[in-house]
Amino acid sequence: MKKLFLLAILSFSFIGFSQENDESSFWENVRFGGAVGLNFGNNTTNIAVLPTAIYQFNESVALGVNLGYQYSKRNDVKSNVYSAGILSFFNPIYEIQLSAEFEQLFVNSTFGDIKDSYNYPSLYLGGAYQISNNFAIGMRYDVLYDNNKSIYGSAFSPIVRVFF
């Protein structure tokens, strides 16, 4: 068993060294982006950090992942929301970007002494106008929207995508 394990490790090591040029082309097709939000007002604080990474397969298709953290406080209500998701983009023509995004959100909230923790899924279908390779604006719709669980006030939300 030890010999088999050692053989497997050595095989993967040689594969890793032999594919060195492929790795550099892989990273040339990866783009990073996301969102940062800050909002302060009367007894209100909202902070959001949502990084995203996508792999551009060709001019028309990209797949990626996102992570997120959002903090919200209004009077005695506080919430911490963590999220993870996968997303896909399809450009039938350069200017039109269609998207599908699945996201799982984990909510921890407190209202005075009452604590509540739950999670829920979101599935966004959207369309955007791609202004450049790095910037697109549009709208998306959460087909799994649940008014009782969602942290958002509507199933519709704007798209502002920036990638580097």
Side-chain angles (χ1 to χ4, degrees):
M1 185 68 174
K2 289 181 183 179
K3 290 180 183 179
L4 183 62
F5 182 70
L6 181 61
L7 181 62
I9 290 176
L10 288 173
S11 297
F12 286 120
S13 298
F14 289 124
I15 290 170
F17 284 117
S18 67
Q19 306 231 348
E20 191 170 315
N21 291 335
D22 290 340
E23 285 183 28
S24 64
S25 66
F26 172 83
W27 289 108
E28 290 173 3
N29 294 321
V30 174
R31 297 189 305 159
F32 297 95
V36 176
L38 295 172
N39 181 17
F40 301 100
N42 283 344
N43 298 319
T44 302
T45 303
N46 292 302
I47 302 170
V49 179
L50 307 147
T52 301
I54 62 167
Y55 181 82
Q56 192 76 43
F57 287 96
N58 55 41
E59 292 178 3
S60 299
V61 178
L63 295 174
V65 295
N66 60 12
L67 295 172
Y69 172 74
Q70 298 177 58
Y71 170 79
S72 180
K73 179 180 183 264
R74 182 171 185 178
N75 298 324
D76 291 342
V77 180
K78 295 179 188 177
S79 66
N80 290 287
V81 180
Y82 304 90
S83 62
I86 58 174
L87 53 131
S88 63
F89 302 144
F90 175 66
N91 292 71
I93 61 173
Y94 178 79
E95 293 83 8
I96 303 298
Q97 184 182 80
L98 304 175
S99 62
E101 305 173 48
F102 178 80
E103 189 174 53
Q104 187 71 34
L105 292 102
F106 304 90
V107 180
N108 297 311
S109 61
T110 59
F111 179 70
D113 293 335
I114 302 169
K115 295 183 179 186
D116 190 16
S117 295
Y118 61 94
N119 65 76
Y120 68 94
S122 294
L123 177 60
Y124 295 101
L125 302 178
Y129 178 71
Q130 183 169 296
I131 296 170
S132 72
N133 284 336
N134 299 329
F135 186 68
I137 59 172
M139 289 293 290
R140 65 184 187 169
Y141 179 77
D142 182 2
V143 298
L144 301 177
Y145 182 77
D146 182 344
N147 193 37
N148 295 320
K149 289 187 175 183
S150 180
I151 60 171
Y152 304 112
S154 171
F156 286 98
S157 60
I159 294 172
V160 179
R161 291 194 179 105
V162 178
F163 286 99
F164 304 98

